[in-house]
Amino acid sequence: SRGLGDVYKRQVYGQGPFTISLDQNFAKKSGIVIYDNSTVKEFRRILEAGKLEFMDNISIRWIPDNIDTEAEGAHNGNNYIAYTFFIENNGNENLTYWAELVIDDVIRDADEAVRIMVFRNGEKKIYAKRNSNGEPEPDTIPFYSDQYVYIEPRENFYPNDVDRYTIVIWVEGDDPDCINDIIGGEMKMHLEINEEHVQK
């Protein structure tokens, strides 16, 4: 029989391991839209990256150099999630939006070895949880907190401006915390696009 934990897991992971959501009230007021195909531009409130049934640990060296530009929408590879999408200002005013990458749930300490690479308009940043000594992992930016990977304002977003994002998620095999204890672990995240950051 399935317990409450199984029910919770199905609910939390029902939309896959990574989604992007646009605050509905902010969208109506500002004219901001999100989409994952720059040709069709089908505006949606929630975008969902494709699922992987299983992710083995890999090295960042295995991720293609052109991962940011190779495709739009879901373009997962062998043992990594990759998703490219767009945020566009369809309104009439210069504005600021907040991008907040929220950690919804972690099972079996999977966050200890997960890496999240974020491209915005070609600029790359790699985020990771601090190591067991409290130090940043090499060549990464530490998670903002236990609840957020990062919180970042996008200022001076003018009418007709478009931001291109690519998010890549993988388990880094070179991380000392990538140990057998996290086998079977999972991590659920979503990126929120809001008018302002409100500490939860």
Side-chain angles (χ1 to χ4, degrees):
S1 65
R2 290 178 172 171
L4 289 175
D6 294 315
V7 174
Y8 171 71
K9 185 176 175 183
R10 287 200 309 275
Q11 290 173 343
V12 168
Y13 288 87
Q15 287 186 307
F18 178 66
T19 56
I20 300 99
S21 61
L22 173 63
D23 180 82
Q24 212 162 7
N25 293 328
F26 180 41
K28 287 179 181 177
K29 184 171 72 172
S30 68
I32 277 194
V33 295
I34 61 174
Y35 51 89
D36 61 9
N37 185 317
S38 61
T39 303
V40 178
K41 290 191 178 182
E42 180 183 341
F43 305 151
R44 287 179 283 168
R45 195 182 73 79
I46 295 178
L47 302 173
E48 183 178 342
K51 298 180 183 179
L52 289 180
E53 292 302 317
F54 177 76
M55 286 177 69
D56 199 357
N57 64 82
I58 61 173
S59 167
I60 188 174
R61 297 185 297 274
W62 298 9
I63 295 173
D65 291 337
N66 67 337
I67 192 72
D68 179 37
T69 58
E70 69 174 6
E72 298 177 1
H75 48 110
N76 300 339
N78 193 16
N79 294 307
Y80 64 83
I81 291 170
Y83 190 74
T84 297
F85 65 97
F86 304 86
I87 302 175
E88 183 172 334
N89 185 352
N90 267 1
N92 300 312
E93 296 183 7
N94 174 25
L95 51 85
T96 295
Y97 70 79
W98 286 78
E100 305 169 4
L101 188 48
V102 183
I103 301 169
D104 297 303
D105 189 37
V106 176
I107 297 174
R108 295 185 64 89
D109 296 323
D111 58 339
E112 297 291 345
V114 164
R115 295 288 187 274
I116 301 104
M117 184 187 303
V118 180
F119 293 87
R120 190 185 79 187
N121 301 329
E123 181 183 343
K124 178 177 72 176
K125 295 179 180 178
I126 301 174
Y127 297 87
K129 188 174 181 179
R130 291 180 183 272
N131 65 28
S132 54
N133 295 324
E135 297 296 320
E137 295 288 356
D139 303 315
T140 70
I141 301 168
F143 288 177
Y144 179 85
S145 69
D146 289 340
Q147 187 175 2
Y148 294 96
V149 173
Y150 76 89
I151 299 171
E152 191 170 278
R154 167 57 160 103
E155 300 174 326
N156 297 317
F157 196 48
Y158 290 96
N160 302 315
D161 277 356
V162 179
D163 283 346
R164 177 191 174 106
Y165 283 84
T166 296
I167 311 285
V168 186
I169 303 167
W170 75 99
V171 177
E172 178 53 62
D174 291 336
D175 189 317
D177 291 315
C178 186
I179 55 178
N180 288 340
D181 289 349
I182 69 170
I183 291 175
E186 298 181 59
M187 188 171 175
K188 165 76 174 176
M189 295 175 284
H190 74 279
L191 184 70
E192 292 182 357
I193 309 301
N194 298 312
E195 180 176 13
E196 59 183 337
H197 170 66
V198 178
Q199 188 70 45
K200 299 177 182 177

